[in-house]
Amino acid sequence: AQSVAQPEDQVNVAEGNPLTVKCTYSVSGNPYLFWYVQYPNRGLQFLLKYITGDNLVKGSYGFEAEFNKSQTSFHLKKPSALVSDSALYFCAVSLSYNTDKLIFGTGTRLQVFP
Amino acid sequence: GAGVSQTPSNKVTEKGKYVELRCDPISGHTALYWYRQSLGQGPEFLIYFQGTGAADDSGLPNDRFFAVRPEGSVSTLKIQRTERGDSAVYLCASSPDVRDTQYFGPGTRLTVL
């Protein structure tokens, strides 16, 4: 069965420092990988996705993610964190041959301290 | 342009009652999805429409849940005989086509007392 793991419930980082939010996946085919961010009382906002091609994907608000097939990972990164980046981040996967549903991780709360 | 909208934003009902949750997708998007997000969890897939037809309803938890999209645009998620365990945020998403990025609405928070 397909699954997504976000091993950290919370990540704390100081403003200006680099941040990493981890995601690993388990699928039986070629994955499509996504990152979404959720602010309080708001829906999920799309950040970036990996479909094929370059393993380093750049997205909104300066975020990027690296697809690593051998480690089945898709970690979210940003070189310099902002306080306004504080939110709940979700990694999701769908299958290239069955893209009707996204399977989400449990989310990681990012807290950026001034 | 306008994003996905959902109404109501909050719904409080009593156990056993019937509720309807509405989703207005982004104009022109042919694919529409419903997810349910329980507290502290990621969204879980319920059902997906391509046009007017439900292409995959494998995520609906039981026959109390039903969804329609009669004209290929607005969708309604219907829950009969609500139970306290149905309390969650119900999220709707749409995409231009089945292989495209899904864009989410703000959700409807359902509370069953």
Side-chain angles (χ1 to χ4, degrees):
Chain A
Q2 292 83 263
S3 64
V4 175
Q6 293 183 244
E8 302 153 317
D9 290 336
Q10 180 152 330
V11 170
N12 299 317
V13 63
E15 187 174 33
N17 282 2
L19 69 87
T20 299
V21 182
K22 296 179 180 177
C23 172
T24 59
Y25 64 90
S26 175
V27 299
S28 56
N30 293 321
Y32 289 1
L33 294 155
F34 302 81
W35 277 100
Y36 285 84
V37 60
Q38 188 172 41
Y39 295 98
N41 300 316
R42 296 178 64 179
L44 294 164
Q45 294 182 29
F46 170 73
L47 278 180
L48 51 80
K49 67 182 178 184
Y50 171 82
I51 302 298
T52 187
D54 193 348
N55 289 344
L56 184 63
V57 178
K58 294 187 183 296
S60 307
Y61 312 119
F63 284 93
E64 58 188 28
E66 185 167 13
F67 171 62
N68 188 317
K69 188 172 183 178
S70 63
Q71 297 185 4
T72 62
S73 68
F74 190 57
H75 301 330
L76 181 70
K77 300 182 179 185
K78 187 173 182 180
S80 179
L82 300 172
V83 172
S84 57
D85 293 330
S86 298
L88 190 55
Y89 290 80
F90 289 96
C91 181
V93 65
S94 68
L95 296 176
S96 59
Y97 60 84
N98 182 19
T99 54
D100 60 347
K101 67 183 75 169
L102 292 175
I103 299 166
F104 285 87
T106 52
T108 297
R109 185 164 300 281
L110 174 67
Q111 192 72 45
V112 181
F113 294 95
Chain B
V4 177
S5 62
Q6 293 186 246
T7 54
S9 55
N10 281 284
K11 176 70 177 178
V12 180
T13 191
E14 293 179 345
K15 180 175 178 292
K17 298 291 188 182
Y18 168 83
V19 297
E20 289 189 352
L21 312 179
R22 176 187 168 106
C23 172
D24 281 85
I26 294 171
S27 178
H29 282 195
T30 60
L32 184 146
Y33 312 79
W34 284 98
Y35 292 83
R36 179 168 72 173
Q37 186 175 19
S38 300
L39 194 63
Q41 300 295 317
E44 293 180 307
F45 171 80
L46 295 177
I47 186 170
Y48 146 66
F49 290 87
Q50 179 64 17
T52 60
D56 184 350
D57 63 358
S58 62
L60 295 178
N62 51 61
D63 61 6
R64 296 186 297 105
F65 289 74
F66 189 71
V68 295
R69 194 186 185 198
E71 298 179 356
S73 179
V74 171
S75 176
T76 304
L77 178 66
K78 308 180 181 191
I79 310 174
Q80 298 177 323
R81 305 182 303 281
T82 52
E83 299 177 357
R84 292 193 180 89
D86 298 335
S87 296
V89 176
Y90 289 81
L91 296 169
C92 177
S94 69
S95 67
D97 198 354
V98 64
R99 293 183 179 274
D100 283 306
T101 300
Q102 296 180 28
Y103 296 93
F104 284 79
T108 294
R109 183 175 299 277
L110 175 66
T111 303
V112 182
L113 301 177

